[in-house]
Amino acid sequence: MADKKAVRARMNELLAQGVGKTEVFRQLSTTDIKPRVLAGWLAATPDMSARQAMSVHITILCGLMVVQALVVFMVLLSVSLFFALAIAMIPLLFAWGFRKPAAGAYSGYILLSIISIAQNAAKFRGIDTPTVIGLAIGLATICYVAWIQWRVFPDMTFAGPNRKSGEYVFKT
């Protein structure tokens, strides 16, 4: 079962049968797939009961991304219509990834937002209200996205599968 597609199909089949991720990892770790890759696939598989419980928060998050896209579009419209549309698509793509659900969308949003906050904080000269409010909203959004990610993907760390003492660890 060296074929990645076959291993992935078998993984999804076992998970659909209700087999825990730890057992699926144990069974499929004998294949030619690297344990790091297999653990990544398992960790990126959402906990569907947690996803169902978090559906309201995911909807709110997608709404925030639509608002962010509209603000970006309105601000950049004075530069160029094409540029405004292109840049406004970024939050909409994140919203699509959050809704899908794709673990990479959450990690990617957090990473890009941290970089953006760091750049804005470096330009921070004095204490003015709009800057402080913007930084606070940015930090709150990062925390909100991270909280949702940790609930929907309990086996993921920031950007990979959870490891303890060199071993991959799964909640189930």
Side-chain angles (χ1 to χ4, degrees), residues 2 27 65 83 94 146 159 170:
Q27 286 183 23
M65 293 299 104
F83 185 67
F94 279 120
F170 303 98

Side-chain angles (χ1 to χ4, degrees), residues 53 69 98 102 109 143 162:
F98 298 152
Y109 183 84
C143 292
N162 194 12

Side-chain angles (χ1 to χ4, degrees), residues 114-143:
I114 288 172
I115 291 169
S116 174
I117 293 261
Q119 288 176 344
N120 288 337
K123 296 176 189 172
F124 190 64
R125 299 279 183 228
I127 299 178
D128 60 334
T129 306
T131 304
V132 172
I133 290 172
L135 288 174
I137 290 172
L139 288 172
T141 305
I142 291 170
C143 292

